[in-house]
Amino acid sequence: MPKTRETVLEIDLGALAHNYRYLRSKVPENVKMMGVVKAFAYGSEAGEVAHKLSELGIDYFAVAYTSEGIALREAGIKDPILVLHPQSVNFESIIEHCLELSIYSEFVLKEFIKSAEKLGIKEYPIHIKLNTGLNRLGFVEKELEMIFEALSNTKAIKIKGLFSHLAASEDWREREFTLGQIGKFRTMARLFMNALNYKPILHLCNTSGIINYPEASFDMVRSGIGLYGFTNDREIDKQLKPVGTLKTIISQIHPIEKGETIGYNRAYKAAGTMKTATLPIGHADGINRQYGNERAGVFVNGQFAPIIGNVCMDMLMIDITGITCDEGDEVIIFGGPQPATKFAEKGKTISYELITGISQRVKRVIKPE
Ligand SMILES: *Cc1c(COP(=O)(O)O)cnc(C)c1O
């Protein structure tokens, strides 16, 4: 890629393909894979990422909200798409765009049956979400009879999938709890299979589940963060390639004298003669104030430069004392020498929050495989 001349998030489709193949190799051959492309494919570019994954042979997609599923259909994605967190106001557009949906409560179940019946739909594919301990969305075991009863009274829906979500698949200290979740999922799935005369697709594992609980792959796994190049395991991360690199440039360089201050609230005070650079990226782009005041830094021509003072809305300042660089030079915020996981840690957060938080103002540039 040529050097950038503005703030960009570079999306490396070769890295995506590499991660896809790696994760695929971790699950048995007959197990399907669902690519989780919610939140603009974890802050990257959902359409491009989904097309690439589709070309690589992924079986399914998942998004959080209906609008994200519609955007994928409008981008030309033909594969099945599961909307993980639909609201009843969106049921008609879900049906119109042939999106599958998660049914997680009695209210949503009954409302969806009503909508589907009103449109004269038969056997609309739904996925039942089971709560096995995350206590976020989903049915518990004692609600299953109610679901079976509702199913026996309608032809409008068909259970295409049964799924649940693990609360701590990345954490070995919670192994007992996770095994308990897997057990509960098995038990509830068995009750469904006894009540139905067909077998839905069972899916439980997220990325860390794929890595740590391969015995719980069931019929399909759902991977998000791993596709983008991260897990919650430093060693496994070495096998993956980060998809996103956030780059910017130096807008202006300032020689600073001892005692001068930098930025809003005069938060940084120069202890001696120094040199600062101003970068065209700020908290409105997703580099939050928590990274300022020397908690995190960036890379300029291969050298580390701390962020000094408060991060502004559209800019931030770095200390480039002793670094050979010029106005217009490229700066790497994360990716390359500094993985997003490492940058995120300095802001006391996790890669998920950092990468999904890069705002839509930042231009996305696609690097083909
Ligand atoms: C976001 C999400 C995933 C993806 O999890 P990763 O840890 O990013 O692999 C899987 N399943 C559900 C229900 C989710 O909400």
Side-chain angles (χ1 to χ4, degrees):
M1 296 289 279
K3 289 225 180 264
T4 190
R5 297 173 65 193
E6 60 184 330
T7 300
V8 294
L9 181 64
E10 206 175 275
I11 314 296
D12 183 349
L13 296 182
L16 178 73
H18 169 89
N19 300 336
Y20 170 79
R21 292 186 188 111
Y22 176 81
L23 291 162
R24 250 295 182 221
S25 77
K26 293 286 150 191
V27 293
E29 199 130 355
N30 57 339
V31 170
K32 292 187 199 307
M33 194 155 151
M34 176 184 263
V36 182
V37 293
K38 62 193 179 190
F40 304 102
Y42 285 45
S44 62
E45 214 294 313
E48 297 277 354
V49 162
H51 274 293
K52 184 70 200 179
L53 290 171
S54 191
E55 175 195 316
L56 291 164
I58 207 149
D59 304 281
Y60 243 99
F61 289 107
V63 292
Y65 298 117
T66 306
S67 58
E68 298 176 317
I70 294 173
L72 286 185
R73 285 284 180 252
E74 283 170 355
I77 297 298
K78 304 268 190 282
D79 308 88
I81 300 170
L82 171 60
V83 178
L84 293 166
H85 196 173
Q87 276 84 49
S88 56
V89 67
N90 303 124
F91 288 165
E92 285 196 17
S93 24
I94 285 181
I95 293 170
E96 188 187 329
H97 292 90
C98 294
L99 304 170
E100 298 179 9
L101 74 165
S102 159
I103 298 285
Y104 51 84
S105 71
E106 182 172 357
F107 174 77
V108 169
L109 174 67
K110 301 216 156 140
E111 288 294 305
F112 188 71
I113 291 174
K114 259 193 253 165
S115 300
E117 284 178 346
K118 202 171 95 200
L119 294 167
I121 305 273
K122 293 268 173 297
E123 304 203 334
Y124 199 87
I126 65 163
H127 294 241
I128 296 282
K129 177 77 181 277
L130 302 169
N131 177 10
T132 53
L134 180 60
N135 289 324
R136 194 171 69 173
L137 291 177
F139 295 100
V140 291
E141 197 177 323
K142 68 175 193 300
E143 293 175 287
L144 300 193
E145 280 304 326
M146 177 276 298
I147 301 175
F148 302 152
E149 171 81 25
L151 281 174
S152 66
N153 290 323
T154 185
K155 292 212 162 19
I157 55 170
K158 178 166 176 149
I159 300 187
K160 181 146 177 210
L162 284 177
F163 76 115
S164 187
H165 196 35
L166 298 173
S169 55
E170 73 279 17
D171 189 347
W172 285 106
R173 291 166 307 182
E174 298 292 356
R175 191 169 170 77
E176 282 303 308
F177 181 83
T178 304
L179 293 174
Q181 279 199 282
I182 296 168
K184 270 192 192 163
F185 182 62
R186 259 186 229 288
T187 304
M188 286 200 260
R190 210 169 287 130
L191 292 170
F192 265 94
M193 260 117 64
N194 292 338
L196 305 172
N197 55 2
Y198 56 90
K199 188 180 172 300
I201 302 171
L202 306 187
H203 48 111
L204 176 67
C205 284
N206 65 338
T207 301
S208 295
I210 295 171
I211 306 289
N212 296 332
Y213 300 91
E215 71 279 13
S217 302
F218 294 98
D219 304 314
M220 181 157 72
V221 292
R222 304 185 302 270
S223 183
I225 199 78
L227 289 172
Y228 308 104
F230 308 103
T231 61
N232 298 284
D233 182 316
R234 281 282 165 91
E235 285 309 302
I236 304 284
D237 278 5
K238 289 182 190 156
Q239 309 292 319
L240 299 174
K241 296 181 181 170
V243 166
T245 302
L246 183 62
K247 295 176 171 177
T248 187
I249 59 162
I250 294 178
S251 290
Q252 193 177 12
I253 291 176
H254 297 278
I256 301 286
E257 299 298 332
K258 178 178 174 181
E260 283 192 83
T261 59
I262 317 292
Y264 284 136
N265 311 106
R266 309 187 66 202
Y268 183 87
K269 193 164 185 188
T273 306
M274 64 182 299
K275 206 168 60 159
T276 68
T278 302
L279 314 181
I281 185 166
H283 63 72
D285 301 291
I287 302 303
N288 301 340
R289 283 166 56 97
Q290 74 217 35
Y291 298 105
N293 293 307
E294 296 151 275
R295 283 187 288 263
V298 301
F299 278 80
V300 181
N301 297 333
Q303 286 185 270
F304 183 78
I307 299 172
I308 53 174
N310 290 319
V311 172
C312 315
M313 189 185 298
D314 314 306
M315 283 169 253
L316 57 82
M317 279 73 89
I318 58 174
D319 179 0
I320 51 161
T321 311
I323 299 177
T324 308
C325 57
D326 286 309
E327 292 176 354
D329 279 4
E330 189 173 275
V331 175
I332 296 181
I333 313 284
F334 63 71
Q338 172 159 257
T341 22
K342 211 161 166 191
F343 188 81
E345 242 168 51
K346 301 204 176 143
K348 297 203 175 357
T349 184
I350 56 174
S351 59
Y352 292 82
E353 187 181 53
L354 173 63
I355 65 175
T356 59
I358 301 308
S359 82
Q360 292 299 300
R361 185 165 78 172
V362 174
K363 184 173 165 187
R364 270 61 176 173
V365 175
I366 305 298
K367 184 176 172 187
E369 188 177 7

